[in-house]
Amino acid sequence: MWLLFAFLSAALLGFYDVFKKHSLKGNAVLPVLFLNTLFSSLIFLPFILLSTFVPNILAGTMFDVPLVGWEVHKFIIIKSFIVLSSWIFGYFGMKHLPLTIVGPINATRPVMVLMGAMLLFGERLNLYQWIGVMLAVASFFLLSRSGKKEGIDFAHNKWIFFIVLAAITGAVSGLYDKFLMKQFNPMVVQSWYNVYQVFIMCPILLLLWWPKRKQNTPFRWDWAILLISIFLSAADFVYFYALSFDDSMISIVSMVRRGSVVVSFLFGAMLFREKNLKSKAIDLVLILIGMLFLYLGSK
């Protein structure tokens, strides 16, 4: 069951990437990110308030947000800093790079998570799962190589470096999620880490963007910004719920979630008219086959 939720999360995450790319095109990065954190927190704020002041309404449901103390909130605040670091790097990188390049680089994240999960949580993969992982890794590598045909120098492009940093911090976040889900309620973590991110983003916005807003790319409102928050919140909700299962494996969940590159690839081709699609499409077939083996190995 947890694997099906992982696949659903991947689909939602793909649409999140598409709306993020659309919102960042010719737009100021930090205000878009701030609004994303604000809208995401507003989505979960009613659940926090209802659980606190009218607990009987959500009691016993998956939307209940139990009251917890500082011993839990301190771990959630750490989660907020990790995720926000990944997002800042990722948003800047995505603004300046093709979506069909960003997706494959982000797709290296599960490999980092896999190594961490084997070292930290003692997770072991069966034959089908190893085949799925190897196919996925190979396809992601081939997709990344296809990007060189677009004249992007991976070794000297700072935006590539930003996306790599986003992938590394994202992998750290994934491993930390497994640690959190073993101890805490998923709704507590997701709802409160969104709220904390708003408070973290406020000084970043005021100190880094506001004083130089007239010299840099201006901010413009786009309804896709709201859709970023909606699809991200839904993707993360399903993701945290998948990790709450006792037999769930963060290495597999993380790998499946990177299947979102399929959705982003399709929209990169149709909506953003990106290049070198034929060679990238062949590599995507390997991703799908890899996802199939992951599914068979986890049944």
Side-chain angles (χ1 to χ4, degrees):
M1 180 62 72
W2 59 267
L3 190 61
L4 294 178
F5 285 114
F7 275 104
L8 176 58
S9 180
L12 294 168
L13 204 59
F15 284 102
Y16 155 72
D17 281 337
V18 171
F19 291 121
K20 182 167 61 175
K21 177 64 177 178
H22 179 77
S23 299
L24 291 171
K25 190 174 181 179
N27 211 349
V29 173
L30 291 179
V32 172
L33 178 54
F34 170 74
L35 289 175
N36 176 25
T37 61
L38 178 62
F39 291 142
S40 295
S41 66
L42 291 176
I43 289 172
F44 287 93
L45 189 58
F47 298 116
I48 295 175
L49 296 176
L50 285 173
S51 299
T52 302
F53 298 106
V54 197
N56 292 333
I57 293 181
L58 297 178
T61 71
M62 67 174 63
F63 300 106
D64 183 34
V65 184
L67 292 175
V68 294
W70 171 246
E71 67 279 0
V72 175
H73 280 280
K74 63 184 179 183
F75 289 105
I76 300 175
I77 292 174
I78 294 173
K79 162 74 176 174
S80 299
F81 276 104
I82 296 172
V83 172
L84 201 55
S85 298
S86 180
W87 284 359
I88 290 174
F89 289 126
Y91 271 56
F92 274 103
M94 178 168 282
K95 177 182 177 179
H96 296 91
L97 294 170
L99 190 57
T100 47
I101 293 296
V102 173
I105 296 175
N106 274 331
T108 62
R109 192 178 304 180
V111 181
M112 306 175 196
V113 174
L114 173 64
M115 300 305 296
M118 294 178 67
L119 292 173
L120 298 177
F121 302 120
E123 293 190 2
R124 294 294 180 267
L125 308 183
N126 58 39
L127 179 60
Y128 280 123
Q129 291 169 336
W130 271 118
I131 293 174
V133 168
M134 291 300 103
L135 285 173
V137 170
S139 61
F140 296 152
F141 175 73
L142 292 173
L143 273 170
S144 298
R145 291 191 62 183
S146 299
K148 294 181 180 179
K149 298 177 181 178
E150 299 181 37
I152 298 175
D153 186 351
F154 277 46
H156 300 94
N157 189 303
K158 69 177 181 179
W159 306 121
I160 294 290
F161 181 63
F162 271 45
I163 292 296
V164 171
L165 287 176
I168 293 172
T169 49
V172 172
S173 178
L175 292 168
Y176 192 58
D177 288 339
K178 183 61 177 180
F179 166 76
L180 293 176
M181 292 304 100
K182 283 180 175 292
Q183 305 178 67
F184 309 129
N185 179 281
M187 275 295 287
V188 169
V189 175
Q190 186 177 8
S191 57
W192 279 108
Y193 100 76
N194 279 296
V195 171
Y196 286 132
Q197 282 186 324
V198 177
F199 291 100
I200 298 171
M201 275 301 301
C202 284
I204 293 176
L205 193 70
L206 292 175
L207 295 175
L208 298 183
W209 177 74
W210 184 259
K212 299 180 179 180
R213 66 192 186 282
K214 294 182 180 180
Q215 289 79 40
N216 297 324
T217 305
F219 170 72
R220 59 173 177 78
W221 168 254
D222 192 309
W223 283 103
I225 297 173
L226 178 59
L227 294 175
I228 294 174
S229 302
I230 293 173
F231 277 88
L232 175 63
S233 297
D236 279 355
F237 178 82
V238 177
Y239 162 66
F240 281 121
Y241 188 66
L243 289 183
S244 67
F245 285 78
D246 291 335
D247 60 341
S248 66
M249 299 175 65
I250 182 60
S251 54
I252 299 301
V253 173
S254 180
M255 180 68 74
V256 170
R257 290 232 315 165
R258 288 303 102 195
S260 63
V261 69
V262 177
V263 177
S264 62
F265 176 87
L266 293 175
F267 278 87
M270 296 184 295
L271 187 62
F272 303 112
R273 304 295 182 182
E274 296 182 357
K275 303 175 182 178
N276 299 315
L277 299 177
K278 185 175 180 180
S279 61
K280 294 175 184 176
I282 296 174
D283 302 333
L284 275 177
V285 173
L286 290 180
I287 294 179
L288 294 174
I289 296 173
M291 296 302 118
L292 176 61
F293 273 97
L294 289 177
Y295 176 76
L296 293 174
S298 301
K299 289 186 67 174

